[in-house]
C-alpha cells in the first residue's frame, strides 16, 4: 500500500527529535535523511519484529532498530551503482 506522508506528519517527526537521534552532527538534511526519519518514526517503537532492508548497503536506520528487533540487510555488496563492496 502506498501512502504519502503529510506535512503535518513530517513536522511532528521533526518536533519529536528523530532527526537528531539519527544524525546528531547537525549537518544539513538531504532527501535520504528525511526518508530515514520517517521510517524511524514508525519503526523505532517496535519490538520483536523481523525487519529487512533490501538494498540497504550501509544502512542508516537498521542499527537503531536492532536494539529491540531482529534486522537483516539484504544486499549483494558487489559495489554496483556506487554501493558497498563489503558488509559494514
Amino acid at each position: 500500500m502506498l501512502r504519502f506522508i503529510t506535512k503535518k506528519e513530517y513536522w511532528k517527526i521533526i518536533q519529536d527529535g528523530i532527526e537528531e537521534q539519527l544524525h546528531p552532527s547537525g549537518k544539513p538534511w538531504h532527501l535520504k535523511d528525511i526518508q530515514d526519519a520517517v521510517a524511524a518514526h514508525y519503526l523505532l517503537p517496535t519490538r520483536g519484529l523481523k525487519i529487512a532492508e533490501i538494498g540497504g548497503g550501509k544502512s542508516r536506520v537498521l542499527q537503531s532498530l536492532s536494539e529491540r528487533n531482529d534486522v537483516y540487510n539484504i544486499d549483494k555488496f558487489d559495489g554496483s551503482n556506487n554501493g558497498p563492496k563489503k558488509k559494514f
Side-chain angles (χ1 to χ4, degrees), residues 33-44:
D33 299 324
I34 295 168
Q35 293 168 338
D36 293 347
V38 170
H41 172 75
Y42 289 103
L43 294 173
L44 281 175

Side-chain angles (χ1 to χ4, degrees), residues 9-68:
E9 289 173 295
Y10 176 64
W11 291 121
K12 180 168 181 357
I13 289 166
I14 290 175
Q15 289 171 348
D16 289 349
I18 291 176
E19 75 277 6
E20 284 94 16
Q21 255 181 307
L22 296 174
H23 305 286
S25 67
K27 68 177 178 62
W29 274 45
H30 297 278
L31 178 58
K32 289 199 178 279
D33 299 324
I34 295 168
Q35 293 168 338
D36 293 347
V38 170
H41 172 75
Y42 289 103
L43 294 173
L44 281 175
T46 63
R47 295 182 181 278
L49 295 180
K50 290 184 180 182
I51 299 171
E53 183 173 356
I54 299 171
K58 183 179 179 186
S59 176
R60 299 169 308 275
V61 179
L62 283 183
Q63 185 173 356
S64 297
L65 297 174
S66 69
E67 295 171 9
R68 294 182 298 275

